[in-house]
């Protein structure tokens, strides 16, 4: 009975998260990304870990990582979902084996913003504030040192998270739509994103 309960609760958690991201993406004009967001979480590779390590207040991937030293679900997930900056980590292009963050297309940075906001809401519940996602990014940076995120990607993400922290969700999402997403669709010489 415990595994069935975990399966149901995990399904509810990831579906709740997906619905929130979808709503946020729709508000900023990224309809396809809202619909397609995190579909790999329903795959056997990721879902099984979610059931086995379900806790409700943090990612099962974190629990699996504590147990094994790595997370099979996270390795699967980050390699299939372009809204994670880890997807964009590669070696430098000058035959240097050093890893670096590559610039992310704008639409994936915006989806990452929506994803982080939704994850904070789901995992923090009533403790969530508009500053939660920005605080988590800062905590992530202090825990890991410098993130392997391209500086342009990091600057754009921080700008959106700051809007959220300072102005609230409604205004932040409107600004993202009007100042980041819409201009990318209007300018004829803007690179595809």
């Amino acid at each position: 009975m415990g595994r069935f309960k975990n399966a149901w609760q995990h399904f509810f958690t990831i579906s709740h998260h997906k619905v929130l991201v979808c709503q946020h993406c729709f508000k900023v004009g990224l309809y396809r990304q809202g619909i397609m967001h995190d579909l790999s979480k329903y795959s056997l590779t990721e879902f099984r870990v979610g059931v086995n390590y379900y806790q409700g207040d943090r990612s099962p991937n974190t629990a699996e990582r504590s147990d094994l030293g790595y997370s099979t679900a996270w390795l699967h997930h980050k390699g299939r979902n372009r809204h994670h900056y880890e997807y964009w980590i590669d070696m430098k292009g000058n035959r240097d084996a050093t890893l670096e963050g590559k610039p992310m297309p704008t639409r994936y940075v915006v989806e990452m913003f929506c994803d982080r906001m939704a994850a904070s809401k789901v995992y923090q519940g009533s403790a969530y504030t508009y500053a939660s996602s920005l605080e988590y990014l800062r905590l992530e940076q202090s825990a890991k040192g410098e993130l392997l995120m391209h500086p342009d990607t990091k600057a754009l993400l921080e700008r959106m998270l700051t809007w959220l922290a300072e102005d609230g969700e409604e205004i932040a999402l409107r600004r993202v739509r009007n100042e980041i997403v819409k201009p990318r669709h209007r300018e004829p010489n803007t690179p595809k994103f």
Side-chain angles (χ1 to χ4, degrees):
M1 188 67 165
R3 288 181 61 83
F4 178 77
K5 184 178 179 184
N6 280 3
W8 176 249
Q9 289 178 325
H10 179 62
F11 177 80
F12 178 79
T13 300
I14 63 176
S15 297
H16 181 217
H17 170 76
K18 182 171 175 27
V19 166
L20 290 175
V21 174
C22 189
Q23 290 171 346
H24 300 328
C25 283
F26 276 33
K27 287 180 181 177
V28 300
L30 297 177
Y31 305 104
R32 182 179 184 279
Q33 284 178 255
I35 292 168
M36 302 302 289
H37 180 81
D38 274 357
L39 289 178
S40 70
K41 285 187 178 179
Y42 298 94
S43 70
L44 183 59
T45 301
E46 294 181 38
F47 194 81
R48 180 178 41 220
V49 170
V51 172
N52 291 339
Y53 290 95
Y54 179 80
Q55 297 170 351
D57 60 349
R58 69 179 183 151
S59 170
N61 299 348
T62 303
E64 183 188 33
R65 194 174 294 110
S66 295
D67 189 27
L68 302 178
Y70 61 94
S71 172
T72 58
W74 173 244
L75 293 171
H76 186 269
H77 188 76
K78 75 179 178 92
R80 285 156 182 80
N81 294 278
R82 295 177 183 190
H83 64 276
H84 291 289
Y85 75 88
E86 294 90 345
Y87 179 95
W88 300 92
I89 295 173
D90 200 356
M91 289 185 218
K92 290 184 178 180
N94 59 358
R95 295 186 181 199
D96 182 344
T98 306
L99 296 175
E100 68 179 358
K102 302 297 181 179
M104 289 175 65
T106 303
R107 65 179 169 168
Y108 296 121
V109 183
V110 173
E111 185 181 357
M112 177 168 50
F113 162 73
C114 294
D115 181 54
R116 285 171 174 258
M117 183 173 27
S120 294
K121 287 178 179 181
V122 169
Y123 288 119
Q124 291 186 334
S126 62
Y128 171 78
T129 69
Y130 294 138
S132 293
S133 300
L134 181 60
E135 290 168 359
Y136 183 78
L137 177 65
R138 290 179 177 153
L139 178 67
E140 193 178 18
Q141 290 170 330
S142 66
K144 296 179 180 178
E146 193 58 36
L147 300 177
L148 288 178
M149 189 185 301
H150 190 274
D152 295 342
T153 299
K154 183 178 170 192
L156 180 56
L157 177 62
E158 284 181 335
R159 181 178 355 149
M160 292 184 289
L161 292 175
T162 300
W163 290 344
L164 176 63
E166 294 177 356
D167 302 326
E169 184 176 316
E170 186 178 323
I171 292 171
L173 289 171
R174 188 176 329 121
R175 288 188 76 181
V176 169
R177 181 182 185 102
N178 294 332
E179 297 178 32
I180 297 171
V181 175
K182 276 187 179 178
R184 303 290 294 184
H185 291 290
R186 278 190 242 142
E187 298 171 13
N189 295 328
T190 304
K192 184 179 175 185
F193 79 120

